[in-house]
Amino acid sequence: MGRLQTWGASARRSPVLWVGAAVAVLALVGGGVVVATRSSPPPAPSPSTSIRAVALGDSVPYGHGLANPYLTPRVGLPAAWVSQPPSMRAYPSEVARALGLTMTVRTTNCTLTEDQLAISGAVAEAADNTARDGQCPLPPQQARNLSDELAAADLARHPARLVLLQDGADDIDFARCLEHELVHALGAGIGIGTSCVVNGVVTAQVAADLSNVRTSLAQAIEVMAPHVGRIAVLDYYQPVPSPAQIADDTAASGFHTNLVCAGLKTGAAATDAAAQVVLTALNEAVAGAVADARAHHVTNVTFVDISTAFDGHGMCTATPWVFSGEPVPDATLAADVERVVAATTCDATHSLVGAIPCASLAAKAQLAEQNLEGYVWRAAHPTAAGQRAIAAALERRLRGRV
């Protein structure tokens, strides 16, 4: 993330200078003289006496799915819910309340203020996402990342008793990894998502991105440490259930299909195996960052392992703690799949059959893919029950440490 460019400004205290050294206002009161002087600002509280809690990271601490960070409406939420601030039902607010700390939540998605600074889609390393910010396009800027959140927290001037940090999944675009595993099982040639596992290991690109995650998280922890009482770093839960845990009635209902659950039913074993490979690699990077910070003498960091917290409650189980897909009308699904396959076929055969309007088909396929992705936009993210489960795990780990 530009290696944390300007993360954390050093605390500055400048004495207020008055003409001639100091200005005194003299007043006669009952025969006495009262001298009134301008006092200096009070010093910032120490981390140990602060009651501030801060949340940093990505879509999970933001509460993606319970709130909508995008400028346009999303399937499953009211149409008026757009460009929303972090959800008050996300685990950071739950934990702050339970521990008797304060965590103010910004009023809009696009203005980084207050204490709840998590951003849906934020990467730990800025180099892992150099795209324009699609959530907040004005003024044009690069997609916001962890370094932006930490700068907004201004911990040097406003120390915190507790910082909750969970980031790194978007550096490898975990959602795209999952989409690939789920949707490709529905039909050959549907090119949605990104392949993140080859021959039982993560791809070289994913491995490189996870190396960035480890370095950037470790640096963030070290920068924060002097200004925070306790830093809690979370890894990630597994949203993909084992094949035996998938409920039979989740794939289809009436004339609607749940893309995620249909994909799981079709390729449960392969999806489960690939998801375990990716999650293990991601969580090893997060744990490694904490170890690296400790090796550099950071003593106030706590690693919180939630990798098994959702066991039995993944997508498409009888009692899920994560969102799966929204039901897609079968007619809509068939039409969108047909457009995607047509464009893929056109690209593959264009050189053989001559001039075919592939560009037109590609445009239609792109719209179809966007439509299908709209039905899985919050898949794998915690529901309110899932957020409470994370909060409970954090509270157990942090009791007596904050």
Side-chain angles (χ1 to χ4, degrees):
M1 46 190 60
R3 298 296 173 245
L4 304 178
Q5 306 118 329
T6 57
W7 280 21
S10 299
R12 300 181 182 90
R13 295 180 183 172
S14 298
V16 180
L17 301 180
W18 305 102
V19 177
V23 173
V25 179
L26 305 179
L28 294 176
V29 180
V33 178
V34 175
V35 180
T37 61
R38 182 72 61 91
S39 61
S40 299
S46 71
S48 61
T49 60
S50 171
I51 59 171
R52 183 189 187 200
V54 172
L56 306 174
D58 59 21
S59 56
V60 179
Y62 164 87
H64 186 96
L66 298 173
N68 172 19
Y70 303 116
L71 296 169
T72 55
R74 297 286 142 168
V75 179
L77 291 181
W81 289 22
V82 296
S83 196
Q84 292 183 286
S87 173
M88 294 287 289
R89 293 187 292 168
Y91 73 78
S93 292
E94 298 273 356
V95 170
R97 285 192 292 268
L99 297 180
L101 302 177
T102 62
M103 178 178 288
T104 55
V105 179
R106 63 185 188 268
T107 57
T108 70
N109 179 36
C110 293
T111 302
L112 280 184
T113 58
E114 311 303 335
D115 304 321
Q116 221 301 16
L117 296 164
I119 300 169
S120 184
V123 293
E125 165 56 61
D128 289 337
N129 184 5
T130 59
R132 289 285 190 179
D133 190 341
Q135 297 176 20
C136 308
L138 296 175
Q141 61 183 338
Q142 181 178 334
R144 296 166 298 168
N145 55 66
L146 184 57
S147 64
D148 298 312
E149 298 173 18
L150 191 52
D154 198 7
L155 292 165
R157 290 200 303 162
H158 304 286
R161 178 84 66 85
L162 174 66
V163 168
L164 302 174
L165 171 60
Q166 186 179 32
D167 209 359
D170 286 297
D171 290 74
I172 61 172
D173 208 343
F174 185 80
R176 296 282 295 174
C177 297
L178 184 60
E179 283 179 8
H180 174 81
E181 296 299 329
L182 294 172
V183 179
H184 87 282
L186 296 176
I190 301 178
I192 295 177
T194 303
S195 177
C196 296
V197 176
V198 177
N199 297 326
V201 296
V202 294
T203 63
Q205 183 61 59
V206 170
D209 291 339
L210 288 176
S211 178
N212 289 342
V213 167
R214 178 168 179 163
T215 299
S216 295
L217 287 180
Q219 291 179 341
I221 294 166
E222 292 174 39
V223 167
M224 287 190 284
H227 314 295
V228 179
R230 176 64 51 183
I231 303 168
V233 180
L234 292 78
D235 64 3
Y236 290 87
Y237 56 87
Q238 178 56 270
V240 177
S242 66
Q245 294 172 340
I246 301 171
D248 290 335
D249 60 350
T250 56
S253 176
F255 295 102
H256 291 71
T257 298
N258 186 310
L259 277 173
V260 170
C261 298
L264 279 176
K265 292 287 287 184
T266 303
T271 301
D272 180 42
Q276 294 294 347
V277 169
V278 174
L279 185 74
T280 297
L282 172 59
N283 284 351
E284 285 178 349
V286 176
V290 174
D292 293 345
R294 286 174 175 160
H296 289 161
H297 312 294
V298 174
T299 59
N300 58 338
V301 60
T302 297
F303 176 64
V304 184
D305 179 14
I306 62 168
S307 59
T308 61
F310 284 20
D311 283 2
H313 299 281
M315 297 181 296
C316 309
T317 57
T319 55
W321 289 351
V322 291
F323 294 104
S324 59
E326 311 299 327
V328 185
D330 287 346
T332 299
L333 174 59
D336 284 338
V337 169
E338 181 180 356
R339 293 185 182 98
V340 174
V341 172
T344 303
T345 302
C346 186
D347 286 339
T349 60
H350 178 69
S351 60
L352 298 177
V353 299
I356 298 178
C358 288
S360 175
L361 292 176
K364 293 178 180 178
Q366 184 176 19
L367 291 175
E369 287 188 15
Q370 291 173 357
N371 185 51
L372 292 176
E373 289 176 351
Y375 287 94
V376 298
W377 73 278
R378 58 181 178 178
H381 290 89
T383 62
Q387 293 284 357
R388 287 194 297 271
I390 298 174
L394 268 166
E395 290 162 26
R396 289 192 297 269
R397 192 77 172 88
L398 294 176
R399 287 289 182 189
R401 293 173 176 264
V402 176

